[in-house]
Amino acid sequence: MRLNSDAFWLRSPGEGEIRPVSVPRPGAGEVLVRTLYSGVSRGTESLVFRGGVPESQHRLMRAPFQEGDFPGPVKYGYLNVGVVEEGPPALRGRTVFCLYPHQTRYVVPADAVTVVPEEVPPARAVLAGTVETAVNALWDAAPLIGDRVAVVGAGMVGCSVAGLLAGFPGVQVQLVDVDPARAAVAEALGVRFVTPEQAAEGCDIVVHASATEAGLARSLQLVAAEGTVIELSWYGDRRVGVQLGEAFHSGRLTIRGSQVGSISPARRSRRTYADRLSLALRFLADPAYDALVTGECAFTDLPEVMARIASGNLPGLCHRVVYGPAED
């Protein structure tokens, strides 16, 4: 017997809808998960919603359990927390994180879910995918004790990077953003907030996550000679100008891309994707990360809310989607 479920689909760029879907009972080595919360990965999902994924990136941008194709119809998303209703005894009844789209119930292989530690509230665990991106970025950046680091762009990813850096011994962190309202988030994470004009130069490492040309230009100004800018922004089909004059060559600066789709070369031989995600979930025991959730809606309201997020009419950081009680 199959189960009824509902999923959020992008029908076409700019138009989302809730569709009924039929979910099979889990087979051997599979789990049936009832979703409690999902999170909107604001930058990437807005890009997908607007139809801005370049054709050359359609294959690389696929989410693990995506259905359909870009630009649409497509079921897309990857921040999902639920409870295992059926499956192996060790997982039954456990709260798990999965890289699954916005859907009320789903079946996946048992090894596709990661148990959420008891000390991490399920509502906060939707940030696991974003914190995992930050973990990978810092494996790429490899900060040293006492480094001066600027994080440019106080979005979900930038704030997650800053939050992790706050725990590095002796590291001086400045979180840089044009929006003064992000100062409250920086304070909750235990790092200093500055506007681009106030930011101190001479940084050993700059992590850029603003997805703006101005942010990348300021990052190159902030990094010290022979320093590195870690580029975390995803620009989609937008062209971005990079200032390679001025001090770029004389300062022997480096711009290095970082992307969560593959494990950083610095740890690739010794860490699995499961290791990285489990590590990210452990960091979320810290209640400071609650500051990264700035909005919430019911699952049934997601089509209208996603349109507002993608258009810029609903600013903020992580938007959490709340699912209703279990149905018979």
Side-chain angles (χ1 to χ4, degrees):
M1 183 183 72
R2 296 178 73 88
L3 296 169
N4 294 326
S5 182
D6 293 297
F8 172 75
W9 277 74
L10 176 65
R11 183 170 62 246
S12 60
E15 295 182 284
E17 63 182 0
I18 303 294
R19 292 185 181 182
V21 295
S22 179
V23 176
R25 291 287 183 181
E30 294 182 324
V31 290
L32 169 67
V33 179
R34 174 173 55 85
T35 304
L36 301 173
Y37 304 96
S38 60
V40 176
S41 183
R42 185 176 291 266
T44 304
E45 291 193 55
S46 292
L47 193 74
V48 170
F49 193 84
R50 294 192 298 264
V53 179
E55 187 173 350
S56 65
Q57 298 298 302
H58 282 189
R59 183 181 62 83
L60 292 174
M61 277 290 293
R62 288 190 68 85
F65 295 100
Q66 173 180 324
E67 292 183 37
D69 296 296
F70 303 119
V74 63
K75 184 176 75 174
Y76 192 85
Y78 47 82
L79 301 175
N80 190 297
V81 176
V83 61
V84 175
E85 294 188 317
E86 298 179 21
L91 289 173
R92 205 173 303 149
R94 303 295 299 272
T95 301
V96 295
F97 178 88
C98 185
L99 296 167
Y100 203 88
H102 310 279
Q103 184 166 314
T104 57
R105 272 191 176 97
Y106 56 91
V107 170
V108 294
D111 60 7
V113 302
T114 301
V115 173
V116 175
E118 291 185 4
E119 62 271 22
V120 178
R124 189 187 304 151
V126 296
L127 296 166
T130 307
V131 175
E132 182 185 13
T133 300
V135 168
N136 205 58
L138 291 178
W139 282 348
D140 281 330
L144 300 176
I145 188 168
D147 271 358
R148 295 183 294 271
V149 183
V151 180
V152 178
M156 287 175 62
V157 172
C159 286
S160 297
V161 171
L164 294 182
L165 283 168
F168 277 64
V171 170
Q172 302 173 47
V173 188
Q174 51 181 341
L175 183 57
V176 186
D177 201 273
V178 296
D179 183 1
R182 297 293 162 88
V185 180
E187 182 179 5
L189 295 172
V191 299
R192 184 166 67 98
F193 175 85
V194 291
T195 63
E197 297 76 21
Q198 297 168 332
E201 299 182 2
C203 296
D204 301 291
I205 299 169
V206 176
V207 178
H208 178 236
S210 81
T212 66
E213 187 173 305
L216 180 55
R218 187 61 177 138
S219 297
L220 288 169
Q221 293 169 349
L222 295 179
V223 71
E226 301 189 349
T228 299
V229 174
I230 299 295
E231 177 58 277
L232 280 176
S233 300
W234 169 238
Y235 300 96
D237 56 1
R238 288 184 293 133
R239 290 184 177 272
V240 177
V242 182
Q243 176 55 266
L244 299 183
E246 299 183 356
F248 184 80
H249 284 285
S250 62
R252 300 177 61 85
L253 306 183
T254 299
I255 302 174
R256 185 190 311 163
S258 178
Q259 209 273 342
V260 73
S262 59
I263 294 175
S264 167
R267 293 293 179 272
R268 193 171 296 163
S269 65
R270 299 185 297 279
R271 299 291 188 279
T272 65
Y273 289 98
D275 292 334
R276 191 177 65 183
L277 183 54
S278 294
L279 177 61
L281 277 163
R282 293 202 299 274
F283 283 122
L284 287 171
D286 187 347
Y289 287 96
D290 285 332
L292 272 62
V293 179
T294 57
E296 197 171 79
C297 73
F299 169 70
T300 52
D301 295 332
L302 189 53
E304 183 268 336
V305 169
M306 190 69 80
R308 293 174 60 201
I309 290 174
S311 67
N313 291 324
L314 187 60
L317 296 174
C318 179
H319 194 91
R320 186 166 53 211
V321 182
V322 181
Y323 292 69
E327 297 178 0
D328 297 331

